[in-house]
């Protein structure tokens, strides 16, 4: 159990149809990440650990998107199993199984950093090699630019001008594959020196592989491993790596981050 989670009382408003409750259930809350959703670890003697996510942005159905992607990926990748989903007037709720182990950036992960980064690169290559025929989840470059443009419209004039300047840049050609969608170290789990699974899959689907590349480079830099970024891409093994395209996606993906 990660040291960053803390015991808390039972969250209010948990829908009874999710089947979580009782005197022997213990609740632990994780720090709120960039998604804005609350995440709870649910433990109970005699039952596997579960995770509960709840999100107040009910209309956006972000957790429904994650539920659908995890269901589609079952048997294709090591991902959590969907155990329950509900919507109330105040929140959206998703229950899933726990992936064992520690995330790639956990300080208690007893692995050399080069080994972690090597496995991250090899596993991303495997994700991108998944047969995508029939995948219903598609988010192309034009979709991302449209989403960001809607956000820019709510910002101040300086931000809008900067975004307009970015839109005027030439768009790189797309290389569509199946992507994780948020390939950051907290979403990559390890146990006993091996990858044990992936979490936070709400943006998984068909997109450009560089959308995963920019997230991987960002997370390595943020966690103090900027020197290993070239090693990561060498281990991934892409011929003709395009640094300018990576910078384009980094600018776009992080513009409103």
């Amino acid at each position: 159990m990660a040291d960053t989670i803390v015991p808390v009382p039972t969250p209010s408003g948990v829908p009874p149809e999710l089947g979580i409750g009782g005197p022997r259930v213990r609740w632990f809350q994780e720090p709120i990440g960039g998604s804005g959703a609350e995440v709870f670890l649910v433990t109970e003697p005699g039952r596997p650990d579960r995770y509960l996510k709840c999100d107040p942005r009910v209309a956006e159905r972000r957790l429904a998107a994650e539920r659908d992607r995890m269901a589609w990926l079952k048997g294709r990748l090591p991902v959590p199993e969907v155990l329950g989903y509900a919507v109330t007037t105040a929140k959206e709720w998703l229950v899933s199984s726990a992936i064992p182990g520690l995330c790639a950036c956990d300080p208690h992960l007893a692995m050399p950093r080069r080994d972690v980064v090597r496995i991250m690169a090899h596993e991303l290559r495997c994700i991108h090699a998944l047969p995508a025929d029939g995948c219903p989840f598609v988010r192309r470059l034009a979709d991302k630019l449209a989403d960001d443009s809607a956000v820019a419209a709510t910002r101040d004039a300086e931000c809008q001008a900067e975004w307009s300047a970015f839109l005027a840049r030439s768009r790189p050609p797309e290389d569509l594959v199946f992507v994780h969608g948020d390939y950051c170290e907290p979403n990559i789990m390890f146990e006993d020196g091996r990858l044990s699974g992936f979490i936070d899959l709400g943006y998984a689907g068909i997109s450009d592989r560089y959308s995963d590349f920019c997230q991987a480079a960002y997370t390595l830099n943020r966690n103090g491993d900027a020197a290993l970024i070239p090693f990561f891409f060498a281990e991934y093994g892409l011929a003709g790596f395009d640094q300018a395209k990576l910078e384009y996606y980094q600018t776009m993906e992080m513009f409103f981050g």
Side-chain angles (χ1 to χ4, degrees), residues 56-147:
R57 296 161 297 189
V58 176
E60 298 180 30
R61 293 293 195 270
R62 294 192 179 201
L63 298 187
E66 185 169 3
R67 172 202 62 189
D68 294 345
R69 285 159 173 79
M70 286 193 295
W72 190 85
L73 283 166
K74 185 176 181 179
R76 293 179 169 93
L77 287 178
V79 301
E81 181 180 359
V82 177
L83 301 176
Y85 173 81
V87 179
T88 62
T89 56
K91 290 181 179 179
E92 190 183 16
W93 310 79
L94 177 65
V95 183
S96 61
S97 61
I99 296 291
L102 301 171
C103 74
C105 57
D106 193 294
H108 299 96
L109 184 63
M111 292 177 62
R113 289 301 299 164
R114 284 179 68 89
D115 289 351
V116 172
V117 173
R118 178 184 295 109
I119 293 172
M120 284 174 56
H122 293 177
E123 292 294 336
L124 184 59
R125 182 89 182 196
C126 293
I127 291 174
H128 290 174
L130 278 178
D133 295 346
C135 177
F137 314 112
V138 180
R139 192 164 182 247
R140 301 194 60 167
L141 177 57
D143 301 320
K144 297 181 179 185
L145 293 173
D147 290 344

Side-chain angles (χ1 to χ4, degrees), residues 13-62:
V14 177
E17 61 266 32
L18 294 179
I20 299 177
R24 303 207 303 168
V25 171
R26 299 183 66 200
W27 294 83
F28 301 85
Q29 185 168 14
E30 293 193 344
I32 294 177
S35 71
E38 293 181 292
V39 180
F40 300 92
L41 171 65
V42 185
T43 68
E44 184 177 3
R47 295 192 63 172
D49 290 348
R50 294 162 285 172
Y51 275 93
L52 172 68
K53 283 187 178 182
C54 53
D55 194 321
R57 296 161 297 189
V58 176
E60 298 180 30
R61 293 293 195 270
R62 294 192 179 201

Side-chain angles (χ1 to χ4, degrees), residues 175-243:
D175 178 13
L176 298 176
V177 296
F178 188 90
V179 302
H180 178 284
D182 191 8
Y183 201 71
C184 294
E185 289 187 81
N187 299 334
I188 306 164
M189 305 295 292
F190 286 84
E191 185 179 46
D192 297 330
R194 297 185 297 272
L195 180 126
S196 56
F198 305 102
I199 61 173
D200 287 353
L201 296 145
Y203 291 106
I206 307 303
S207 195
D208 193 294
R209 73 176 76 229
Y210 278 77
S211 61
D212 275 344
F213 285 169
C214 77
Q215 296 288 349
Y218 167 80
T219 193
L220 290 172
N221 181 65
R222 180 175 181 177
N223 291 315
D225 287 321
L228 291 176
I229 294 174
F231 173 71
F232 173 88
F233 287 118
E235 288 294 315
Y236 180 93
L238 179 67
F241 181 79
D242 190 336
Q243 182 65 35

